[in-house]
Amino acid sequence: MADDDEDDRFLVKSVFDTNWQDCEVVFAVDGADLLERLDQSDRRPALILLDLNMPRMDGFAALRHIRANPAYRSIPVIIFTTSSAPEHIMLAYELGANSFLTKPSSFSGLSQLIHQVRLFWLDLARVPANVISPSLP
């Protein structure tokens, strides 16, 4: 997760720590920090949650870099921001975001949203396609 807001990082960590201790959540404070961490790690994340408004490098610039790099291009990127501006949503999808989610204002809303993200982007992604939609004989 790349987010400059310490409270948001703490809340997301709390949701994962409470519900899914098997998930390792790594935090970056902005887009530049995210790209540095990707470059320095020998492991590829299963998912990136990306805020838009951050110092040094915003989420749009980070998304451009991620989609331009063949090593990171296939990592699902979910924009996770307070913005719900139509122009931000359109630009995020034009740049290759997989999803655009507006941060909820309550902890219970955040917990529900993170649960849905985990179910769709992490849990279902691990299930073989023939289990989700078996082929007919």
Side-chain angles (χ1 to χ4, degrees), residues 73-74 78 89 121-122 126-127:
R73 185 176 295 148
S74 65
I78 298 175
I89 296 169
W121 289 103
L122 300 177
R126 294 182 189 139
V127 177

Side-chain angles (χ1 to χ4, degrees), residues 97-118:
N98 295 90
S99 190
F100 191 105
L101 302 174
T102 303
K103 294 176 184 175
S105 57
S106 70
F107 183 77
S108 64
L110 175 68
S111 185
Q112 279 185 307
L113 187 60
I114 295 296
H115 179 75
Q116 292 170 350
V117 165
R118 168 154 178 162

Side-chain angles (χ1 to χ4, degrees), residues 36-56:
E36 290 167 11
R37 288 172 183 270
L38 287 172
D39 287 342
Q40 295 170 359
S41 177
D42 57 344
R43 296 185 318 170
R44 207 175 83 167
L47 175 70
I48 295 173
L49 294 176
L50 184 60
D51 189 21
L52 292 179
N53 301 311
M54 298 179 287
R56 285 199 311 159

